[in-house]
Every structure is written in structure tokens, then in C-alpha cells.
Amino acid sequence: MIKTNFTVGYRLNRQRHLILGVTSIVPNLNGVLFFTEDGKNHFVESCELRHDILAGMFISYDPEDEEVFVDGEIVHDHRRKS
């Protein structure tokens, strides 16, 4: 089975964020844009970056990671709904 999306996590203002359904990541001068399956996409402004990077960023291709959420995480579910 071919994997069509992945999960990205990052820390912003002491909060952990998880983005589900990411298909690609594009850095630009205004921040970081995460293209997502549902087409709504997710954007992080450059002023929110620390030293031009997202603090604590990770990428996971394992779908089981999507089911493990730690208290205090903000989940952005951008998976395509069937």
C-alpha cells in the first residue's frame, strides 16, 4: 500500500500541534505551508518560527502515531473525508 500522507508535529507557544493528512511541506519567506489532503492547508507565519525553524518539529509516516495524542496537544485533522 502506498502512503499518500503523513503526520507533522511541532511546538508553538508552548503548545504541541499535530497536523494530520499532510502531503507536502513548503517553506517560504512568510513562514511554512503544509499542503493537506482536504485542500484547506495549514500555514505557520514566519513571526511564529524560532530561528527560522519550527521548534520540536517531527514527521511520522506511521498511521498508529496519529492515534497517540498527549494531553495539551492541538490536533488539526486535514485528512480527506470519504
Side-chain angles (χ1 to χ4, degrees):
M1 185 168 155
I2 297 172
K3 183 72 173 155
T4 59
N5 66 65
F6 51 95
T7 299
V8 175
Y10 64 91
R11 187 175 313 282
L12 181 63
N13 299 326
R14 298 185 182 162
Q15 285 282 337
R16 285 184 46 141
H17 294 253
L18 286 178
I19 309 169
L20 308 178
V22 176
T23 57
S24 63
I25 303 170
V26 180
N28 61 39
L29 295 177
N30 295 322
V32 179
L33 177 62
F34 298 92
F35 286 100
T36 59
E37 270 190 46
D38 65 3
K40 294 182 181 174
N41 304 324
H42 183 86
F43 183 71
V44 178
E45 301 253 354
S46 60
C47 63
E48 297 175 310
L49 304 178
R50 295 188 66 195
H51 307 290
D52 296 328
I53 62 170
L54 282 172
M57 184 174 160
F58 71 87
I59 296 172
S60 174
Y61 296 95
D62 186 354
E64 291 192 17
D65 287 348
E66 296 172 358
E67 304 303 323
V68 181
F69 304 124
V70 178
D71 288 339
E73 286 188 336
I74 299 171
V75 178
H76 309 274
D77 190 351
H78 289 286
R79 295 173 290 189
R80 185 181 314 260
K81 305 293 188 263
S82 299

